[in-house]
Amino acid sequence: MPFQLICVSHGPALTQPHPVPSQHDEIGAVYARRAEALKKFDPELIFMFGPDHFTNIHLCAVPP
């Protein structure tokens, strides 16, 4: 079974930054390429990690 690791950073400012940085379109294109790679890989198992989210954000605000 092939193994593939895909990691990306994220944050609320990525979708609606103010002011919009000059690299915004380039960053969006990189995210789109990673999304396509993940779709093509079609994983059977996904591990998600992000312990800071579970200790620093109220659980009602954490997306599933």
Side-chain angles (χ1 to χ4, degrees):
M1 171 189 288
F3 175 80
Q4 183 172 357
L5 175 65
I6 297 176
C7 294
V8 295
S9 183
H10 68 281
L14 286 174
T15 58
Q16 298 179 9
H18 297 285
V20 177
S22 60
Q23 307 90 343
H24 187 69
D25 291 339
E26 182 180 348
I27 292 168
V30 170
Y31 274 79
R33 287 195 303 269
R34 295 315 308 149
E36 283 303 312
L38 187 58
K39 287 177 188 175
K40 289 178 183 177
F41 181 61
D42 190 25
E44 294 179 18
L45 178 64
I46 297 173
F47 288 94
M48 293 181 66
F49 53 92
D52 63 319
H53 286 41
F54 304 122
T55 58
N56 295 325
I57 297 177
H58 296 287
L59 291 179
C60 64
V62 177

